[in-house]
Amino acid sequence: MHRLRLLLLALFAMGAREAIAQDVSGAPGPCASPAAIAVTGNSRVTEATILATAGLRAGDTYGYRDIQRAIELLFASGQFDDVHVTCSLDDNSRATLVVTVRERPLVSKFTLTGVDRVSKKEVRDRLEQPVGVPADPGRIALSIQRADSLYEAKGFYLARIRVDSTLTPDGKVALNFVVDEGRRLAISGVRISGNSRVPDGDIVGAMKTKPEGFLFHRSGEFDELEYAQDLSERIPQLYGSRGFIDFAILSDSMIVDRELGKAMIDITVREGPRYQIGSFEVLGNRRFPTEAVKEYYPFGDQSPTLASRATGLIRRAHRNPPNTFDAARWEEAEQKLQEAYMNEGYIYARVNPIVERVPGGDSVRTVNLRWEIQENSPAIVNRIDITGNDYTWETCIREQLVLIPGQLFNRQALIRSYQNISNMNFFEQPMPAPETRPAGDAGDVDIVFNVKEKRTGNLNFGASMGQGTGLGGFVGMNQPNLFGKCKRVEVQWQFGRYINDFNGTYTDPNIRQSRISGSVTAYHTRSRFRIADLGQSTRTGGQLQFGFPVPWSYYTRLFVSYGGESVRYSEENSTLLGQLARDCRSCFRSTLGLTGTHDTRIGLPFPVDGALQTIAAQFNGGPLGGTSNFQRYTAELRSYAPLAAFGNQIFGGQPMQLVTGLSAKGGVLFGNPGPFFYSQSFALGGTQYGEQLRGYDEFSITPGGYDPTAETSSARRESFGNAYFTATAELGLRLSSALYVHAFAEGGNVWDRPREFNPTRLFRSVGFGAATLSPLGPLGLDLGYGLDKTDLFGRRAPGWKLHFKLGQLF
């Protein structure tokens, strides 16, 4: 196009030179001062606009430079694909300057096809093609260049973009950008130059940009953002952890073979000397004694820990020479000391870590370390505000706070308060991180918790029709935040020709705004247990329970309860419960219960941290009256610890979390449960009845050992024991607050008498599963492999078992 302009200008200059040239007497030619100016070829842009843009007027005198500038101005307007200027003379030698243009069509539509592996919105934003303006080839080329750079940043160096244009009947043009993404660029190798103290394999191992692996076990796809973090963070952190704090990356390059879609990365480094630790001192500390501060010093006892030794047995881990400076550990220790000050209210304290290099010329040098601490004044919590709670009463939310106005600011208490509010499950997740704002000139702080209400209650109903059961239905209501006061009401009614079950519970966590909780439960249940042909029972009863806080322990509560229950069994001699009908026309159980609970779990219903300890005692009969006389004691211990987090790890975020969990449950029964054995004694196996042991059928673990016929035979009295124990180890991935996948290993056993309790002889299983949330509670599937199953002849016969769970969680 530029050459065309030059050619037109040259032709115009040659044609006009005769007319504009002076004659022998010195007079200019007629084209130098045209009598008229005409415009041709335009249909959309008016003649007046064209002449105004070009700056041409009839009667003015022009040279070839003026004509060249007019053409450039018309091209710069973006309205024309072609512009040229000629001069014509009539019979009277009067000159007319003719401006001939070819207009660009307007863009009527802009579409994008072929985008799959990159965000379509990102590509559209890079193309930036407005509709209703002239189609500009230069802008289109620049847009394609911007989109290409986006694909290269994502590792798609083989992507190609072309433009298809279609003229519409009204003379406009429709643009369609067609993208051929190709595959992502694969890294064929990483070459490291300049290193002698750290092996190539360790450097590449610290990078996320790795070469493709054998038989496609690693794709080697290139990601520019990950590669930038490799160069700026991961490789320097590796060297810093080994004492090379003067390390630098001198250059990096990538050789791309676009035909094969491969690339070789070449990185040149300068390692510098390794630094050892010299002296260490602490300055400026007044709140913490120097000895207490030194407990955070990371280079005291450098003997390997038990955990590092265990890890070393699994995979070879690098060990620095003794007394080597580790920049990563030094930074981590400074953060821990900063948090310790914040937990004591010194949120304005500053810990300045000083690394002072001692001059020297050897390959191993020395650094002197120092923490310069500026404590400032401690911060007092001035006020705590809660915003966004349009339905839930503020007093209800404040019960979850462990940080109150007037006390020293404590970061751990702030985090725990946030977690407690989140555990209420009344607000959308993840909740925003709490805000801390300065209050006045004294350094105090105001804290603001921002919440957003979500629907908490649900009403469900339905109907069913089945052979042998007739027409039936159910109505259920669950509201855990009644009237916004955190009171819970649960009502469930199932009815039909052969079923009539009613359960109702009311719970008040703070009776009359106190920390005493209470609950009332009433039920009338007629159930037919089809599992192992257990039989049918009709239970009518209720329970009253009060919970009391324990002084100096926010997470511990004691519960006292009283319950009464009347039971009748159907007269079916073929079932286990039917055999009790004649001896128990209307049996009654009177129960006094004492329970102690310490619960610090967070992230419910799929905990990611914390622990739960519960000990319960039930006293039945005796002075309380009733058909049976026995005591039942149970204990449950659960512990959770996060191993890693993936994704958004900022305070208030909701990353995926890898969690390990350990649990142990046990119970003993003294006395004779009488006709209540089926609900008070312990049955082990499966997940549908009794105590859970995945990988085995219900009632298959008995005091007499494993029962291989439990899957097909009926339940027997001998299947129940008066002592049991189970233990579980679980590795789980919490994908979100509503989805959890896990692998487990567990074992358990049941004994006839408490004195036979022997936790060293357990039936074992392993497996995996998943759980999600449903309107009726957590819903899960587990696939367990029973390791100690046997066949009818006592031979080992391990096997898989699929389990369905509703409301039961590890």
Side-chain angles (χ1 to χ4, degrees), residues 175-414:
L175 300 179
N176 180 29
F177 289 81
V178 181
V179 181
D180 179 11
E181 293 182 328
R183 63 184 181 85
R184 297 185 76 167
L185 186 70
I187 304 302
S188 60
V190 179
R191 184 168 53 229
I192 310 294
S193 303
N195 60 311
S196 61
R197 312 286 292 277
V198 178
D200 293 358
D202 290 1
I203 298 175
V204 176
M207 300 171 61
K208 283 199 172 181
T209 306
K210 301 183 187 297
E212 57 187 351
F214 179 66
L215 292 180
F216 308 104
H217 83 278
R218 189 171 60 222
S219 65
E221 291 184 342
F222 178 76
D223 188 308
E224 187 170 328
L225 296 179
E226 293 289 359
Y227 179 58
Q229 287 187 330
D230 288 337
L231 299 181
S232 62
E233 298 178 14
R234 299 185 185 101
I235 298 178
Q237 286 173 358
L238 170 68
Y239 270 92
S241 68
R242 301 189 181 186
F244 297 95
I245 56 177
D246 293 337
F247 165 83
I249 294 178
L250 301 181
S251 65
D252 73 284
S253 60
M254 185 166 59
I255 305 170
V256 179
D257 186 338
R258 292 184 178 271
E259 296 298 325
L260 298 177
K262 307 286 186 181
M264 169 68 75
I265 293 178
D266 195 338
I267 301 174
T268 303
V269 304
R270 184 186 66 214
E271 294 183 323
R274 187 196 297 270
Y275 282 85
Q276 290 185 338
I277 301 168
S279 62
F280 170 68
E281 61 179 336
V282 180
L283 301 177
N285 57 304
R286 297 187 305 275
R287 172 63 181 85
F288 291 114
T290 300
E291 292 304 318
V293 174
K294 285 185 176 181
E295 292 182 2
Y296 294 91
Y297 180 62
F299 306 115
D301 182 11
Q302 298 194 30
S303 59
T305 63
L306 181 60
S308 63
R309 290 176 179 174
T311 305
L313 296 176
I314 302 174
R315 59 181 178 86
R316 185 184 65 85
H318 172 80
R319 291 186 60 185
N320 284 327
N323 210 38
T324 298
F325 175 68
D326 186 334
R329 293 178 62 191
W330 175 246
E331 181 180 354
E332 182 182 357
E334 179 264 327
Q335 292 176 352
K336 289 181 178 179
L337 180 60
Q338 186 79 50
E339 290 180 1
Y341 269 99
M342 294 181 70
N343 289 336
E344 294 296 325
Y346 290 82
I347 63 175
Y348 303 110
R350 295 293 177 265
V351 179
N352 186 21
I354 303 299
V355 179
E356 188 177 71
R357 294 167 173 81
V358 178
D362 298 330
S363 61
V364 177
R365 297 184 185 176
T366 302
V367 290
N368 293 329
L369 305 177
R370 184 169 67 253
W371 275 333
E372 295 181 352
I373 302 174
Q374 183 179 356
E375 293 182 339
N376 296 318
S377 300
I380 306 296
V381 178
N382 179 57
R383 59 180 295 161
I384 298 177
D385 293 328
I386 300 171
T387 65
N389 55 315
D390 301 325
Y391 177 72
T392 306
W393 284 38
E394 186 170 310
T395 54
C396 175
I397 302 175
R398 288 188 179 275
E399 287 294 329
Q400 309 302 318
L401 301 179
V402 295
L403 186 67
I404 60 176
Q407 75 177 68
L408 283 175
F409 177 85
N410 185 296
R411 184 173 181 272
Q412 289 299 324
L414 175 64

Side-chain angles (χ1 to χ4, degrees), residues 517 545-550 553-561 592-601 611-619 632-638 664 666:
S517 63
Q545 177 176 273
F546 294 97
F548 303 91
V550 175
S553 180
Y554 182 85
Y555 308 106
T556 304
R557 295 184 72 82
L558 295 177
F559 297 91
V560 178
S561 64
L592 176 66
L594 299 175
T595 303
T597 299
H598 181 77
D599 191 356
T600 61
R601 295 174 298 172
L612 168 69
Q613 299 91 33
T614 300
I615 300 177
Q618 291 183 4
F619 305 95
R632 191 174 190 262
Y633 303 91
T634 58
E636 180 177 8
L637 308 176
R638 298 173 182 254

Side-chain angles (χ1 to χ4, degrees), residues 17-56:
R17 186 171 294 146
E18 283 186 30
I20 298 177
Q22 296 179 347
D23 58 19
V24 177
S25 63
C31 288
S33 183
I37 300 178
V39 177
T40 63
N42 62 310
S43 62
R44 179 170 48 81
V45 185
T46 65
E47 180 177 330
T49 301
I50 294 174
L51 294 179
T53 302
L56 299 175

Side-chain angles (χ1 to χ4, degrees), residues 430-549:
M431 283 174 36
E435 300 178 36
T436 55
R437 302 171 180 172
D441 299 330
D444 297 340
V445 294
D446 292 337
I447 300 173
V448 181
F449 291 93
N450 298 292
V451 300
K452 186 176 181 180
E453 302 273 8
K454 71 175 183 180
R455 185 180 66 85
T456 55
N458 62 76
L459 178 65
N460 50 80
F461 56 89
S464 64
M465 182 70 176
Q467 184 177 6
T469 61
L471 180 65
F474 68 90
V475 177
M477 189 270 285
N478 178 20
Q479 175 53 268
N481 190 16
L482 186 65
F483 306 126
K485 297 182 178 181
C486 299
K487 306 179 191 300
R488 176 182 291 270
V489 173
E490 295 177 90
V491 177
Q492 186 76 27
W493 181 32
Q494 299 183 63
F495 54 89
R497 182 177 179 184
Y498 300 111
I499 188 171
N500 190 356
D501 294 351
F502 174 84
N503 292 273
T505 300
Y506 171 78
T507 302
D508 188 343
N510 308 104
I511 299 176
R512 294 184 176 273
Q513 304 300 318
S514 69
R515 294 200 62 201
I516 300 176
S517 63
S519 66
V520 179
T521 301
Y523 56 89
H524 175 82
T525 302
R526 185 176 64 182
S527 301
R528 169 74 183 188
F529 295 101
R530 303 183 185 279
I531 301 171
D533 200 19
L534 186 60
Q536 180 173 297
S537 67
T538 301
R539 302 164 55 220
T540 303
Q543 177 180 276
L544 178 64
Q545 177 176 273
F546 294 97
F548 303 91

Side-chain angles (χ1 to χ4, degrees), residues 38-43 47 50 80 82 84 98-103:
V39 177
T40 63
N42 62 310
S43 62
E47 180 177 330
I50 294 174
F80 309 106
D82 190 18
H84 62 272
V98 181
V99 180
T100 304
V101 298
R102 187 171 74 245
E103 294 176 334

